[in-house]
Amino acid sequence: MKLFTKFLLIYLAVSVVVLGIGGIISYHIIKDEIDRELKFEFLDRIDRVTYLLEQGKTFAKFRELDQDENLVIVPLDTFKENDTQVSDTLIWDDRFERDEKNVKVSAFRNINDTTYFISTYGNMIESNDVREAVISILLWILGLQVLGAAGIGFVVSGPLFKPFRNTLHRIQNFQINEKEYLKAEPTNVKEFRDLNIFVEEMTKKAVSDFNNLKEFAENASHELQTPVAIAKGKLELLTETNLNEQQYSYVEKLETTLNKLSRLNDSLALLTKIENHEFSTNETVNISKIVKDGINAFQELLSLNNLHLVTDISDSIMLKIHPSLAEIMWSNLFRNAINHNIQNGEINIKLNSDYLEISNTGKELNTEPSVLFERFKKGEQNSESIGLGLSIVKRIVDQNAMPISYTTVKNRHTIRISLKSVKID
Amino acid sequence: MKILVIEDNQDLLENILTYLKQGGYRCETASDYDAAFNKIMSFTYDIALIDLMIPGGSGLQILRELKSARPQTGTIIISAKNSLDDKVTGLEIGADDYLTKPFQLAELHARIKAVYRRNNLNGDDVVRINEIAIHTKKMETKVNETVVDLTPKEYDLLLYFSSNKNHVLSKQTIAEHLWGDYVGHLDNLDFVYQHIKNLRKKLIQAGANDYIESIYSIGYKFNVNRRSS
């Protein structure tokens, strides 16, 4: 529900309640006012009758004065003190065929030793009419309020909330790796200004945190490589001394381990970089060339491992992707296919404008193949690989919105990457 | 050959110096920006090894100063940052080579020799090891005037051995030199053995001594004093 719709509904609900209560109050105030006016007029009339009687004028028992049909003037036999009573009484109304509330004024007046009973009643406006008038007034007000609310809503959702919508739009388009915090448009509305200041501060902090993290990842990688370099150098110097076979094999094992550590460090740094979207510049890359160059670079390894290569590669497939990422992706995939192959195995590579597919013979998997995209997940836990190659591939294809699938049928592993989202026709 | 090593880490510096001194080089060191600046302005070196992260300034700045003051000095950047930007910037400024930590000392040595050959001898150098002569410009190898037909990888391997004569080179080191980044993730290093075997066979067939010594079948050593029985 839009803010404006919600505002309008609340406004109307409140209006209906307020107008309802206001209507009841208005009805009573108007009715009381009318009744009081009527009472004063009746009292005036009684005073006039009294005056006329004092002047010696005589009346018939029922007689009209000032077109008052209900005036009663009766001389009494008994004596009563001067008295005036105002009361409500129900009188049958012929027109509406029901009892209608009327104001009645009765008085006893002693004039020339005779006590007169003077009384009259009536109503100026029926309460029905008052009610109808009040309701119709209220409906008019309600109608005008709906129009007013719609007008306010239009202004609110239009120019008034423009700074808010601008800020929202900027937040939606905010990219943390652009290294720029979010600068909002100036506005004279305090709340929006507060929001803008908050968003500015928050994005400044996010950008600086991001940079710190990036710096940390890079520094950590740097700081780790130096000790590894020292250790490797010392080992090299150690091999220059006279070592026996066992000592030498220890040194060799240490060297292999250090290499693995350094590779691990490189791969983690690379993963962090990819995750931090540091490779977001999209350039046009000839993937056909990258695939072919990769194959050439590994040619010797293929023949040494007696692997049979079958390729079906279309020329000049152009992709919109960072060139380093394309190369890393392909070399990881291809290396994977060689390393996890079997003696006299086979590698099939297929590249066309729709997908890139590499399938190889290998050992049967005990696990779900897609698990191997996770970090440090390996087909065989004791293998020399560090288990980050496929997670790097996964990160790269995810970032470029390329769907990837890994399927195995017996000992044949197939990875297929759809190129639809990045291909350039 | 005179080499300036600009590196702030004392242990790493010691490794490099020990290894290079065995090869008969004259080495000087600088461990911060000011010292490095003073040295490059006051003396001439054949090769400068420059660490990118040094106290007091940037290695790239030193590289710039060096290239404008003494363009004939060969430069090799050593960096722990495997970042593409630094590599591209370094090579654009005019560094001759770029090496990422952790590197093999043998590899560093081979690169120093290659840069020296390119800069000072116009690439036209004949590396001689007893009866073997390697003509680096023509990429040709001769044993007593007999041309040995080597594949590019075998040639590279021989040149690498010649740069690191009498040093023990592990299979891993050799593989990394021949294959660069690709090999870093390979488990099976048997292909190194294949290349060594072929190179050895070709050299012996051409009449050379059998210099390549297997060290407990883990590493190899090009022993120039070895005489085949």
Side-chain angles (χ1 to χ4, degrees):
Chain A
M1 190 188 281
K2 281 186 83 174
L3 182 65
F4 165 57
T5 320
K6 196 154 193 171
F7 161 76
L8 196 65
L9 284 180
I10 292 171
Y11 179 75
L12 287 181
V14 171
S15 295
V16 165
V17 172
V18 167
L19 288 178
I21 296 169
I24 294 166
I25 294 170
S26 308
Y27 169 79
H28 283 287
I29 289 174
I30 292 169
K31 186 80 180 128
D32 285 355
E33 193 58 37
I34 289 170
D35 286 353
R36 212 168 58 193
E37 282 301 318
L38 211 54
K39 188 182 86 183
F40 284 129
E41 198 181 315
F42 287 164
L43 287 173
D44 263 1
R45 201 165 290 165
I46 287 166
D47 285 346
R48 216 162 102 73
V49 170
T50 312
Y51 172 75
L52 288 174
L53 285 172
E54 276 169 354
Q55 297 300 311
K57 195 166 170 40
T58 54
F59 292 93
K61 190 176 180 184
F62 298 99
R63 99 143 267 189
E64 279 186 37
L65 182 77
D66 302 341
Q67 286 92 46
D68 189 347
E69 292 169 358
N70 305 324
L71 188 64
V72 178
I73 305 162
V74 188
L76 296 180
D77 298 336
T78 50
F79 173 79
K80 282 270 170 117
E81 285 292 326
N82 278 358
D83 188 22
T84 310
Q85 288 165 355
V86 181
S87 61
D88 288 337
T89 179
L90 290 172
I91 308 288
W92 180 258
D93 192 304
D94 288 336
R95 197 149 53 93
F96 294 109
E97 297 187 326
R98 60 151 188 249
D99 285 332
E100 187 68 34
K101 211 178 102 184
N102 277 238
V103 177
K104 185 178 183 186
V105 179
S106 322
F108 295 97
R109 292 283 184 272
N110 290 300
I111 302 158
N112 304 329
D113 303 328
T114 317
T115 303
Y116 287 89
F117 171 74
I118 310 164
S119 147
T120 188
Y121 65 89
N123 61 355
M124 214 191 292
I125 305 159
E126 281 104 6
S127 45
N128 239 17
D129 291 345
V130 176
R131 208 177 298 131
E132 276 164 19
V134 167
I135 287 172
S136 106
I137 288 167
L138 293 186
L139 284 179
W140 270 103
I141 292 175
L142 193 65
L144 288 174
Q145 276 187 331
V146 169
L147 280 180
I152 290 170
F154 182 74
V155 173
V156 164
S157 63
L160 192 60
F161 263 76
K162 198 167 166 241
F164 177 75
R165 281 200 314 273
N166 280 345
T167 305
L168 200 66
H169 185 69
R170 277 150 188 259
I171 293 173
Q172 279 164 347
N173 291 334
F174 178 63
Q175 286 214 316
I176 198 157
N177 56 342
E178 276 173 9
K179 291 174 187 158
E180 272 296 318
Y181 71 93
L182 208 145
K183 195 143 175 47
E185 262 173 44
T187 165
N188 57 2
V189 180
K190 186 182 175 296
E191 284 80 0
F192 292 155
R193 211 164 45 224
D194 287 351
L195 175 72
N196 284 348
I197 290 170
F198 172 72
V199 168
E200 266 182 31
E201 290 300 317
M202 204 180 64
T203 51
K204 259 184 206 168
K205 180 146 173 34
V207 167
S208 95
D209 283 356
F210 174 76
N211 285 337
N212 282 342
L213 187 73
K214 225 172 70 180
E215 220 170 274
F216 173 77
E218 277 185 21
N219 285 350
S221 150
H222 174 253
E223 294 303 324
L224 263 169
Q225 297 292 29
T226 307
V228 173
I230 294 167
K232 270 182 92 167
K234 296 283 179 224
L235 284 178
E236 255 185 293
L237 295 175
L238 188 59
T239 56
E240 306 289 320
T241 61
N242 268 328
L243 297 181
N244 65 33
E245 183 166 4
Q246 198 179 24
Q247 287 166 331
Y248 197 88
S249 73
Y250 290 156
V251 170
E252 177 67 12
K253 187 69 209 154
L254 263 176
E255 208 173 288
T256 322
T257 312
L258 281 176
N259 282 335
K260 197 169 163 182
L261 176 65
S262 151
R263 250 155 52 205
L264 190 64
N265 188 24
D266 274 348
S267 300
L268 281 173
L270 178 66
L271 264 179
T272 315
K273 276 187 176 177
I274 298 172
E275 271 162 26
N276 287 350
H277 294 264
E278 277 183 54
F279 298 97
S280 53
T281 51
N282 282 339
E283 294 169 42
T284 307
V285 165
N286 185 342
I287 189 75
S288 309
K289 188 173 180 306
I290 288 178
V291 168
K292 282 178 188 163
D293 288 352
I295 293 171
N296 286 336
F298 285 101
Q299 200 72 59
E300 212 172 347
L301 284 180
L302 290 171
S303 55
L304 279 168
N305 289 305
N306 286 325
L307 298 176
H308 181 57
L309 182 69
V310 182
T311 59
D312 176 11
I313 300 169
S314 306
D315 274 325
S316 307
I317 304 286
M318 305 303 281
L319 300 184
K320 201 161 171 270
I321 187 174
H322 194 286
S324 303
L325 291 188
E327 270 172 41
I328 292 165
M329 178 182 86
W330 175 244
S331 65
N332 274 315
L333 284 174
F334 198 35
R335 196 151 45 207
N336 219 47
I338 297 173
N339 281 345
H340 302 290
N341 221 312
I342 48 174
Q343 271 298 316
N344 304 315
E346 195 181 283
I347 297 177
N348 284 325
I349 297 166
K350 215 183 272 178
L351 172 67
N352 55 43
S353 58
D354 287 334
Y355 61 85
L356 168 62
E357 185 183 274
I358 180 162
S359 84
N360 62 277
T361 48
K363 295 188 182 111
E364 270 183 59
L365 280 179
N366 300 323
T367 47
E368 176 69 21
S370 58
V371 170
L372 297 177
F373 288 130
E374 290 169 28
R375 291 180 178 198
F376 304 114
K377 285 282 155 58
K378 299 185 266 189
E380 311 149 71
Q381 280 309 318
N382 55 353
S383 82
E384 276 297 306
S385 69
I386 53 174
L388 283 176
L390 279 184
S391 20
I392 289 173
V393 171
K394 181 83 166 76
R395 275 274 133 223
I396 294 173
V397 297
D398 280 356
Q399 194 170 86
N400 290 284
M402 300 146 82
I404 189 169
S405 69
Y406 187 162
T407 49
T408 49
V409 179
K410 288 199 172 165
N411 67 348
R412 183 157 280 273
H413 301 239
T414 307
I415 294 179
R416 181 190 281 210
I417 297 170
S418 164
L419 304 178
K420 284 187 185 113
S421 62
V422 287
K423 85 174 165 199
I424 299 168
D425 296 313
Chain B
M1 203 194 300
K2 210 169 138 194
I3 299 176
L4 175 66
V5 187
I6 304 170
E7 164 65 59
D8 63 318
N9 188 295
Q10 288 306 316
D11 288 316
L12 200 55
L13 199 58
E14 198 189 296
N15 286 351
I16 295 171
L17 292 185
T18 313
Y19 199 89
L20 292 183
K21 276 177 180 164
Q22 285 174 3
Y25 296 95
R26 277 161 59 207
C27 297
E28 289 188 21
T29 61
S31 48
D32 60 36
Y33 183 87
D34 292 337
F37 186 79
N38 282 333
K39 287 248 161 101
I40 59 165
M41 288 302 162
S42 320
F43 307 103
T44 317
Y45 299 94
D46 295 306
I47 303 280
L49 308 179
I50 306 171
D51 185 3
L52 280 190
M53 307 249 276
I54 47 172
S58 151
L60 285 176
Q61 189 55 33
I62 286 286
L63 178 63
R64 268 189 211 103
E65 305 282 359
L66 185 60
K67 275 290 144 190
S68 66
R70 303 188 189 278
Q72 74 280 12
T73 304
T75 46
I76 299 175
I77 291 177
I78 301 170
S79 172
K81 277 193 188 167
N82 195 1
S83 109
L84 207 64
D85 288 349
D86 283 343
K87 196 166 184 167
V88 170
T89 317
L91 295 178
E92 266 174 8
I93 293 173
D96 295 293
D97 212 340
Y98 188 103
L99 208 53
T100 313
K101 286 180 194 173
F103 51 84
Q104 300 282 346
L105 294 171
E107 182 64 31
L108 175 67
H109 190 191
R111 303 267 186 122
I112 289 173
K113 287 225 158 177
V115 168
Y116 182 76
R117 266 199 302 276
R118 260 207 316 272
N119 278 22
N120 297 55
L121 308 168
N122 201 15
D124 193 7
D125 185 25
V126 182
V127 180
R128 289 185 189 282
I129 319 159
N130 299 340
E131 67 275 23
I132 302 170
I134 308 166
H135 297 262
T136 54
K137 188 156 194 179
K138 288 184 278 181
M139 290 180 62
E140 194 182 68
T141 310
K142 284 181 180 171
V143 177
N144 298 324
E145 299 310 308
T146 316
V147 176
V148 189
D149 184 26
L150 299 179
T151 65
K153 281 272 181 295
E154 286 158 5
Y155 169 81
D156 202 356
L157 185 59
L158 180 62
L159 201 58
Y160 187 57
F161 272 129
S162 79
S163 295
N164 296 289
K165 299 186 281 266
N166 301 329
H167 284 288
V168 182
L169 302 173
S170 70
K171 273 187 198 168
Q172 180 73 35
T173 314
I174 295 169
E176 268 177 42
H177 174 77
L178 292 183
W179 295 78
D181 285 345
Y182 286 117
V183 84
H185 302 258
L186 290 172
D187 306 336
N188 186 354
L189 297 177
D190 285 348
F191 59 91
V192 174
Y193 170 72
Q194 291 281 344
H195 282 296
I196 301 265
K197 198 176 82 181
N198 291 341
L199 175 65
R200 212 165 150 183
K201 204 164 77 189
K202 285 181 183 177
L203 286 177
I204 293 170
Q205 271 172 2
N209 279 312
D210 184 13
Y211 293 118
I212 302 173
E213 210 176 307
S214 170
I215 308 292
Y216 311 127
S217 73
I218 294 166
Y220 298 93
K221 183 161 148 184
F222 198 92
N223 189 346
V224 288
N225 303 317
R226 193 172 180 218
R227 292 275 178 270
S228 41
S229 45

